[in-house]
CSV table of all heavy atoms in Angstrom, one decimal:
chain,number,residue,atom,x,y,z
K,362,LEU,N,88.5,141.6,105.9
K,362,LEU,CA,88.3,140.3,106.6
K,362,LEU,C,87.0,139.7,106.2
K,362,LEU,O,86.9,138.5,106.0
K,362,LEU,CB,88.2,140.7,108.1
K,362,LEU,CG,88.1,139.5,109.0
K,362,LEU,CD1,89.2,138.5,108.9
K,362,LEU,CD2,88.0,140.0,110.5
K,363,THR,N,85.9,140.5,106.0
K,363,THR,CA,84.6,139.9,105.6
K,363,THR,C,84.7,139.3,104.2
K,363,THR,O,84.2,138.2,104.0
K,363,THR,CB,83.5,141.1,105.6
K,363,THR,OG1,83.4,141.7,106.9
K,363,THR,CG2,82.2,140.6,105.2
K,364,LEU,N,85.3,140.0,103.3
K,364,LEU,CA,85.4,139.4,102.0
K,364,LEU,C,86.3,138.1,102.0
K,364,LEU,O,85.9,137.2,101.2
K,364,LEU,CB,86.1,140.5,101.0
K,364,LEU,CG,85.2,141.7,100.7
K,364,LEU,CD1,85.9,142.8,99.9
K,364,LEU,CD2,83.9,141.2,99.9
K,365,GLN,N,87.3,138.1,102.7
K,365,GLN,CA,88.2,136.9,102.8
K,365,GLN,C,87.3,135.8,103.4
K,365,GLN,O,87.4,134.6,102.8
K,365,GLN,CB,89.4,137.2,103.7
K,365,GLN,CG,90.4,138.1,103.0
K,365,GLN,CD,91.5,138.4,103.9
K,365,GLN,OE1,91.4,138.4,105.2
K,365,GLN,NE2,92.8,138.7,103.3
K,366,THR,N,86.5,136.0,104.4
K,366,THR,CA,85.6,135.0,104.9
K,366,THR,C,84.6,134.6,103.9
K,366,THR,O,84.3,133.3,103.8
K,366,THR,CB,84.9,135.5,106.2
K,366,THR,OG1,85.9,135.9,107.1
K,366,THR,CG2,84.0,134.4,106.8
K,367,ARG,N,84.0,135.6,103.2
K,367,ARG,CA,83.0,135.2,102.2
K,367,ARG,C,83.6,134.4,101.1
K,367,ARG,O,83.1,133.4,100.6
K,367,ARG,CB,82.4,136.5,101.6
K,367,ARG,CG,81.3,136.2,100.6
K,367,ARG,CD,80.9,137.5,100.0
K,367,ARG,NE,80.2,138.4,101.0
K,367,ARG,CZ,79.9,139.6,100.8
K,367,ARG,NH1,80.0,140.2,99.6
K,367,ARG,NH2,79.3,140.3,101.7
K,368,GLN,N,84.9,134.7,100.7
K,368,GLN,CA,85.6,134.0,99.6
K,368,GLN,C,85.7,132.5,100.1
K,368,GLN,O,85.5,131.6,99.3
K,368,GLN,CB,86.9,134.7,99.3
K,368,GLN,CG,87.7,134.0,98.2
K,368,GLN,CD,88.9,134.8,98.0
K,368,GLN,OE1,89.7,134.9,98.8
K,368,GLN,NE2,89.2,135.2,96.7
K,369,GLN,N,86.1,132.3,101.4
K,369,GLN,CA,86.3,131.0,101.8
K,369,GLN,C,85.0,130.2,101.8
K,369,GLN,O,84.9,129.0,101.4
K,369,GLN,CB,86.9,130.9,103.2
K,369,GLN,CG,88.4,131.5,103.2
K,369,GLN,CD,88.9,131.7,104.7
K,369,GLN,OE1,88.2,131.4,105.7
K,369,GLN,NE2,90.2,132.0,104.8
K,370,LEU,N,83.9,130.9,102.3
K,370,LEU,CA,82.7,130.2,102.2
K,370,LEU,C,82.2,129.8,100.8
K,370,LEU,O,81.6,128.8,100.6
K,370,LEU,CB,81.6,131.1,102.9
K,370,LEU,CG,81.7,131.3,104.4
K,370,LEU,CD1,80.8,132.3,105.0
K,370,LEU,CD2,81.7,129.9,105.2
K,371,GLU,N,82.4,130.8,99.9
K,371,GLU,CA,81.9,130.6,98.4
K,371,GLU,C,82.8,129.4,97.9
K,371,GLU,O,82.2,128.6,97.1
K,371,GLU,CB,82.1,131.8,97.7
K,371,GLU,CG,81.1,132.8,98.1
K,371,GLU,CD,81.4,134.2,97.5
K,371,GLU,OE1,82.5,134.4,96.9
K,371,GLU,OE2,80.5,135.0,97.5
K,372,ILE,N,84.1,129.4,98.3
K,372,ILE,CA,84.9,128.2,97.7
K,372,ILE,C,84.4,126.9,98.3
K,372,ILE,O,84.2,125.8,97.6
K,372,ILE,CB,86.3,128.4,98.1
K,372,ILE,CG1,86.9,129.5,97.4
K,372,ILE,CG2,87.1,127.1,97.8
K,372,ILE,CD1,88.4,129.9,97.8
K,373,SER,N,83.9,126.9,99.5
K,373,SER,CA,83.4,125.7,100.2
K,373,SER,C,82.0,125.4,99.6
K,373,SER,O,81.7,124.2,99.2
K,373,SER,CB,83.1,125.9,101.6
K,373,SER,OG,84.4,126.1,102.3
K,374,ALA,N,81.2,126.4,99.2
K,374,ALA,CA,79.9,126.2,98.6
K,374,ALA,C,80.1,125.5,97.2
K,374,ALA,O,79.3,124.7,96.7
K,374,ALA,CB,79.1,127.5,98.4
K,375,LEU,N,81.1,126.2,96.4
K,375,LEU,CA,81.4,125.6,95.1
K,375,LEU,C,81.9,124.2,95.2
K,375,LEU,O,81.4,123.3,94.4
K,375,LEU,CB,82.5,126.5,94.4
K,375,LEU,CG,82.9,126.0,93.0
K,375,LEU,CD1,81.6,126.1,92.0
K,375,LEU,CD2,84.0,127.0,92.5
K,376,SER,N,82.6,123.8,96.2
K,376,SER,CA,83.1,122.4,96.4
K,376,SER,C,81.8,121.5,96.7
K,376,SER,O,81.8,120.4,96.2
K,376,SER,CB,84.0,122.3,97.6
K,376,SER,OG,84.4,121.0,97.8
K,377,ILE,N,80.9,122.0,97.5
K,377,ILE,CA,79.7,121.2,97.9
K,377,ILE,C,78.9,121.0,96.5
K,377,ILE,O,78.3,119.9,96.3
K,377,ILE,CB,78.9,121.9,98.9
K,377,ILE,CG1,79.7,121.9,100.2
K,377,ILE,CG2,77.5,121.3,99.1
K,377,ILE,CD1,78.9,122.8,101.3
K,378,ALA,N,78.7,122.1,95.7
K,378,ALA,CA,77.9,121.9,94.5
K,378,ALA,C,78.6,120.9,93.5
K,378,ALA,O,77.9,120.1,92.9
K,378,ALA,CB,77.9,123.2,93.8
K,379,ASN,N,79.9,120.9,93.5
K,379,ASN,CA,80.7,119.9,92.7
K,379,ASN,C,80.4,118.5,93.2
K,379,ASN,O,80.3,117.5,92.6
K,379,ASN,CB,82.1,120.2,92.6
K,379,ASN,CG,82.4,121.3,91.6
K,379,ASN,OD1,81.7,121.4,90.6
K,379,ASN,ND2,83.5,122.1,91.9
Side-chain angles (χ1 to χ4, degrees):
L362 181 60
T363 300
L364 289 170
Q365 288 175 336
T366 302
R367 181 183 298 174
Q368 187 181 47
Q369 292 174 357
L370 291 173
E371 288 170 347
I372 292 173
S373 298
L375 180 61
S376 176
I377 292 171
N379 281 329

